[in-house]
Amino acid sequence: MNWIRNNLILQSGSDTALIQIKAFGAPRALMLHLAMDSHFPRSFASLAADYRSHLGRQAGLCARLERIADSLPDQCDVQECLYLAQSLGPVVKEAHAFEEKEVFPVLRVSGAAEMPSLTVTLERLGLEHMGDEVFADELTSALRDFASKRNTFGPETLSWMLRAFFEAMRRHLAFEQEYVL
């Protein structure tokens, strides 16, 4: 690793990526901003593209969950509830596994020693991932129950659950888009 002004050059074999240091808030709160575009090697650009794809899929789920919440109780699309119940857990878990196995290690290697707050931030994001996955599983059951008219939860409770999930997920995605990608 070589420091060049506010940039960090990360080299892995023949690949090189420029990591820009981005400061926000208190001086200890430094994050890495992956500056990846067409002039960087394909492997790093591919990582960023895959990351954007995962974030986009999660954002799309949030929009669909919001439409369900807005349509409750009388105009809810049962097929959409069943589709979301089937896809919610896998999409969230796949995105989190990608971040933890592909993105976080790049960030750890590139800046953890120089920025102790980065390690804490990545640990917090990992804990948020666990909480999001548990909530996604609960929401999956609630959507299935509602669609099959088992009514474990009433429409008001389901609406609250949907909104709590997609609002938390949107905050998490916004943080990652602004300070990681």
Side-chain angles (χ1 to χ4, degrees), residues 13-47:
S14 62
D15 293 336
T16 303
L18 173 67
I19 311 280
Q20 294 180 332
I21 305 302
K22 195 174 187 184
F24 63 98
R28 295 178 59 190
L30 292 174
M31 289 299 297
L32 297 177
H33 173 70
L34 295 174
M36 297 180 183
D37 58 30
S38 60
H39 68 277
F40 291 106
R42 175 107 174 108
S43 62
F44 289 106
S46 176
L47 177 68

Side-chain angles (χ1 to χ4, degrees), residues 149-169:
K149 308 244 187 277
R150 284 185 278 199
N151 295 330
T152 303
F153 300 104
E156 297 83 16
T157 302
L158 180 58
S159 178
W160 178 87
M161 289 175 70
L162 290 164
R163 291 180 194 289
F165 180 82
F166 69 70
E167 288 297 331
M169 182 64 71

Side-chain angles (χ1 to χ4, degrees), residues 1-13 15-21 32 109-111 114:
M1 287 185 261
N2 301 316
W3 285 98
I4 300 177
R5 293 191 188 159
N6 290 333
N7 297 325
L8 177 68
I9 304 295
L10 174 65
Q11 293 180 317
S12 173
D15 293 336
T16 303
L18 173 67
I19 311 280
Q20 294 180 332
I21 305 302
L32 297 177
V109 166
S110 63
E114 293 83 8

